[in-house]
Amino acid sequence: VFICLLFLNQSLMASIAAIICMQSTIEDSVSIGFNRLFGTLIGGLLGIIIIYLVSVFKLQDYIIFIAAGSVSLIIYICTIINKPAACVISSIVILGIVIEPSVDNQIPYAIARTIETSLGVIIAVLINRFIKPPEKGNVGIIEKLSKELEITNELHITPSKDDDENK
């Protein structure tokens, strides 16, 4: 977050993306990072289209409804293309773009927010990889679940007499 705020002109979007992408293992950070980067790009693209349409059709008075509908639409799109992990960041990006009414040049603003968020994702992955890599003993969630399943499979559970009588 410090790096995002310091080097990206106090970017809130990059900081949020960095926080969301930090994970306990580098593998998880990279996997989440790719999903978040994809979500950032799709949220940014849809945000640009929406603010263009709002401007052309002079729909600024309805921006609250448009913003809520935009989030619903982006969640729907992420679900259809089987990228549910991208829903959170794409929703944040689209809201950051659509609900900023004081920006005169909205398209460059939307592009800048999308780039800042992408940089936040990249910074989080690089920090996790090079500056504070996870310790060797720290295993990811998949490895933990696999070990739990192995332990469960090793247990031999036999049905009790009560179970046989209830059948």
Side-chain angles (χ1 to χ4, degrees):
V1 173
F2 176 73
I3 292 172
C4 293
L5 293 174
L6 182 65
F7 294 111
L8 297 176
N9 196 20
Q10 301 181 350
S11 172
L12 177 64
M13 297 297 280
S15 299
I16 291 170
I19 291 167
I20 291 173
C21 289
M22 289 301 288
Q23 300 296 313
S24 61
T25 68
I26 185 61
E27 292 82 12
D28 290 345
S29 284
V30 169
S31 173
I32 297 260
F34 281 126
N35 280 318
R36 299 304 191 256
L37 196 56
F38 179 79
T40 297
L41 297 176
I42 195 166
L45 179 64
L46 186 58
I48 290 168
I49 292 168
I50 289 171
I51 60 171
Y52 174 76
L53 293 173
V54 165
S55 176
V56 167
F57 294 108
K58 308 223 182 301
L59 299 170
Q60 291 80 1
D61 292 340
Y62 305 101
I63 202 67
I64 293 172
F65 301 107
I66 292 168
S70 299
V71 171
S72 297
L73 179 60
I74 201 72
I75 291 170
Y76 179 72
I77 290 170
C78 288
T79 303
I80 284 184
I81 61 175
N82 201 25
K83 292 284 186 189
C87 286
V88 171
I89 197 73
S90 60
S91 297
I92 291 169
V93 170
I94 204 162
L95 281 176
I97 291 170
V98 173
I99 63 172
E100 184 55 51
S102 64
V103 176
D104 291 330
N105 298 321
Q106 290 182 316
I107 301 296
Y109 172 81
I111 292 168
R113 296 300 75 78
T114 303
I115 291 170
E116 285 178 3
T117 307
S118 299
L119 289 172
V121 170
I122 292 166
I123 287 169
V125 171
L126 292 175
I127 293 287
N128 203 13
R129 172 66 178 102
F130 295 109
I131 294 179
K132 180 64 175 119
E135 297 174 14
K136 297 276 187 211
N138 191 4
V139 294
I141 187 102
I142 301 300
E143 291 83 4
K144 287 179 184 176
L145 288 173
S146 296
K147 288 182 182 182
E148 291 291 326
L149 288 172
E150 287 174 14
I151 291 169
T152 304
N153 287 338
E154 289 176 7
L155 296 175
H156 297 288
I157 300 173
T158 56
S160 68
K161 290 181 183 178
D162 294 338
D163 289 340
D164 290 338
E165 290 173 2
N166 292 330
K167 288 185 181 179

